[in-house]
Structures are given as structure tokens and as C-alpha cells.
Amino acid sequence: MRIVILATNKIISASELMIATLRTDLVPVPVSIEFAVKYTKELKELLVDGAEILVNDIPYSFEIVYSQPVKSQTIKDNSRIGAISCIAVFKGCKSILDQAKKAVILEQTSFNAAYRACGSTNISLGDDVPLPEFICLKGYLISERLALYLQQEAAVICFKENKIRILKLDALFKQNVVLKLDPSEIQWFNSEQIEKYQKSSYVSVDQDGSTVIGDDTTTKGQSIVYKAGLDARQLKNLEKVLIPRGIVHRSLSLDLNGGDIIEVEQKKYVILTAAHEIETGAIGGNVGSTTKLWLASL
């Protein structure tokens, strides 16, 4: 994995990089990288909170949001082996991880407009979904508010073709299949009880103050959540969820990412998370590169 520190155009070499995991998810900040390098005075000064890096051929810079030097008890060449552990996200998405510095209140808007209004800059936005309203008061966690409205509209955020895109869950599964797998390649989750915990029914009270809208599914063993101020359409959207079904381990496949569609025995699954991991064995240990995929169905 190629990591470049923008301040000095320094490429972190294979002898310095210990491990790196590039992740793409279906969350408000859909791309992140977590990596660790050998501790040196030079890297300690360069890899600090707020420093920018480039990763592979991704056209946007990442900003380090967490940097922590760590010293181990292992001695090599008369000194303790140390490391610097870092987490970084797109610089243009960094504000989405923070609390809102001012209230953002929008009506008859869209997710792209809300994303921009919350401080996302210098990154291309693609497919969009209309939004009746978006409210994020000062001090609220922006990513949490975006996730709430995404759930109400049965939509997700993903990173595709170098753009952040918002897709409805139904549209997500209408995409072309990028890979077909045999069932034996998947570590399946089989727990009806866990599935019940991951899915709830939602009800609300209509504008007349007495009519209950939504489905009562207590007979199905699911929990019921009461949501004020939502209409029947939004309540129905809340019941559309992605249920994790299994995990796939395969050789490094950087072309597979969150939001892509996998087919198994003519049934479609979406990649919830794709984690591309490289271990260099710079201080011993394992050497290799793998991709781990979490699959889900609607």
C-alpha cells in the first residue's frame, strides 16, 4: 500500500510500514485508513493529528485524526521497538466526524446539500436522495444526525468512482453484480435470534394525536420503537435494514468496496464493509495482503 506524507512528499517505505488497513463502509464517512509504522523521530514529527497523506491512487488527501506513539517491551539493536499508530479519513469529510459548530436547519433539501452545509468540502458528490428536512443543532454529532436521516429514507452513503454517493437501499441492489462466489467461500452467520435483535418495528402517532401508524409485530418477536413526528412512509423506510449474513476472506482485491454487489447462488448481497489489509513483517511476524468482506442482504 502506497502512503505518501504530503508535507514532505515522503513515501512511507515497506521497511517502515508495519500494517495498513484501508476500509470502505456504508456510513457517513465511508473511507478510512488505519496504519502503523516503525517509530522514528522523523515519522513522529510528520505523522501528527491534522497531517495529510495520500493513499494509492485515490485522488483525495486523507487527514490524520488519531496519532499515537507506542513503545513495546521488545528490544532490538539495544533499543525498545516502537510504533506510531494512525487513523485517517478524507480531509473533505473530517468535519462530519465532529460536533456541529453551528445549527444546520434545512427544508426540502437533499443529502448532498446537508453534507455540504455540515462542512464537507473539496470532495466530489454523486448520486443524491431528496430529504424533507435536515436538522443538526449546535453541539450535535454530525455523523450521527446524518445516519438518522439515512435510516429514515432507507438510504446509505458509499464511495464509488471517486465520488461520495447516496443510494436508496432498493437502488443499491439494482446495481450490476461485480463478483460471483460459491457458498463454500463464505463464513455464514446463522442465528435467527441475532437477526431479530437487528430488526425492529416502528410506530408513531398521526397528526390527530390518537391514530397509531406503523406495524405492531410483537408476534414476530421483534422490538417496537416509538418515533414521534414521522409519517407512514418514513416508518416503513426504518424497517428496511441490511442484515449481516457472512464474511469472505480472499486475496487482496482493492477493486471490491463497500456498496458493491456480490452474487451467491443467484441471490444478491451487498458489501457492508471491505477491509484491505497489508502486513509487511517490518519488525517480524506475518507477511501478506488480504481483503475481508462483510456481506449483507436486504
Side-chain angles (χ1 to χ4, degrees):
M1 197 168 293
R2 184 173 180 267
I3 300 176
V4 180
I5 303 173
L6 272 180
T8 59
N9 286 326
K10 172 183 171 56
I11 299 176
I12 298 177
S13 67
S15 62
E16 295 171 319
L17 182 66
M18 298 163 57
I19 187 171
T21 304
L22 179 65
R23 294 170 59 101
T24 56
D25 300 273
L26 302 183
V27 295
V29 179
V31 184
S32 63
I33 184 169
E34 183 174 353
F35 64 97
V37 299
K38 288 199 295 186
Y39 182 96
T40 67
K41 185 178 179 180
E42 178 190 18
L43 289 176
K44 180 179 181 295
E45 293 174 352
L46 293 174
L47 296 176
V48 295
D49 289 0
E52 293 181 48
I53 61 174
L54 291 174
V55 180
N56 293 343
D57 297 323
I58 298 175
Y60 306 110
S61 64
F62 288 72
E63 181 177 336
I64 294 177
V65 295
Y66 172 86
S67 177
Q68 180 65 52
V70 179
K71 287 291 184 73
S72 72
Q73 299 301 314
T74 305
I75 304 296
K76 186 176 181 180
D77 297 329
N78 296 320
S79 62
R80 281 200 299 167
I81 294 176
I84 305 171
S85 179
C86 301
I87 299 174
V89 299
F90 283 154
K91 182 181 180 182
C93 297
K94 165 65 169 57
S95 62
I96 305 300
L97 295 176
D98 297 332
Q99 281 81 14
K101 295 180 176 59
K102 62 179 181 179
V104 177
I105 302 175
L106 305 172
E107 292 186 356
Q108 299 306 315
T109 184
S110 69
F111 279 101
N112 281 358
Y115 216 74
R116 290 288 191 223
C118 289
S120 176
T121 58
N122 301 320
I123 195 162
S124 296
L125 303 180
D127 301 285
D128 202 1
V129 170
L131 194 54
E133 68 172 15
F134 178 80
I135 299 174
C136 182
L137 301 180
K138 182 179 179 181
Y140 279 29
L141 189 61
I142 296 172
S143 60
E144 189 176 73
R145 297 299 293 174
L146 281 168
L148 172 67
Y149 285 100
L150 284 166
Q151 189 180 14
Q152 290 178 8
E153 297 301 321
V156 293
I157 292 179
C158 59
F159 184 67
K160 284 180 172 293
E161 298 173 349
N162 292 328
K163 290 184 178 180
I164 288 181
R165 302 176 184 274
I166 291 85
L167 295 174
K168 299 281 279 187
L169 291 180
D170 292 332
L172 195 67
F173 283 87
K174 291 178 181 177
Q175 298 178 110
N176 294 329
V177 173
V178 300
L179 180 68
K180 294 183 179 181
L181 294 176
D182 186 90
S184 62
E185 298 179 71
I186 301 168
Q187 178 186 333
W188 295 100
F189 304 144
N190 293 305
S191 174
E192 184 179 343
Q193 194 62 35
I194 290 178
E195 184 175 334
K196 286 180 181 179
Y197 287 143
Q198 292 172 330
K199 190 177 188 307
S200 300
S201 296
Y202 294 84
V203 296
S204 187
V205 178
D206 210 349
Q207 293 181 354
D208 61 13
S210 60
T211 305
V212 176
I213 53 177
D215 296 327
D216 182 348
T217 57
T218 50
T219 55
K220 297 180 183 179
Q222 296 175 3
S223 62
I224 296 180
V225 180
Y226 297 90
K227 289 281 188 179
L230 300 185
D231 57 27
R233 179 190 66 84
Q234 292 170 316
L235 292 173
K236 199 68 178 176
N237 283 338
L238 287 171
E239 295 187 4
K240 288 185 178 180
V241 295
L242 295 175
I243 302 291
R245 298 298 186 187
I247 297 175
V248 179
H249 294 268
R250 57 188 287 114
S251 58
L252 189 66
S253 306
L254 291 170
D255 56 324
L256 297 175
N257 289 291
D260 287 342
I261 298 297
I262 304 292
E263 185 178 295
V264 182
E265 291 187 323
Q266 299 184 331
K267 183 175 181 179
K268 288 184 175 181
Y269 296 85
V270 67
I271 298 176
L272 270 180
T273 298
H276 309 293
E277 183 175 276
I278 291 177
E279 291 185 81
T280 65
I283 59 170
N286 297 329
V287 178
S289 54
T290 59
T291 288
K292 186 176 180 180
L293 309 173
W294 282 260
L295 304 184
S297 63
L298 180 60

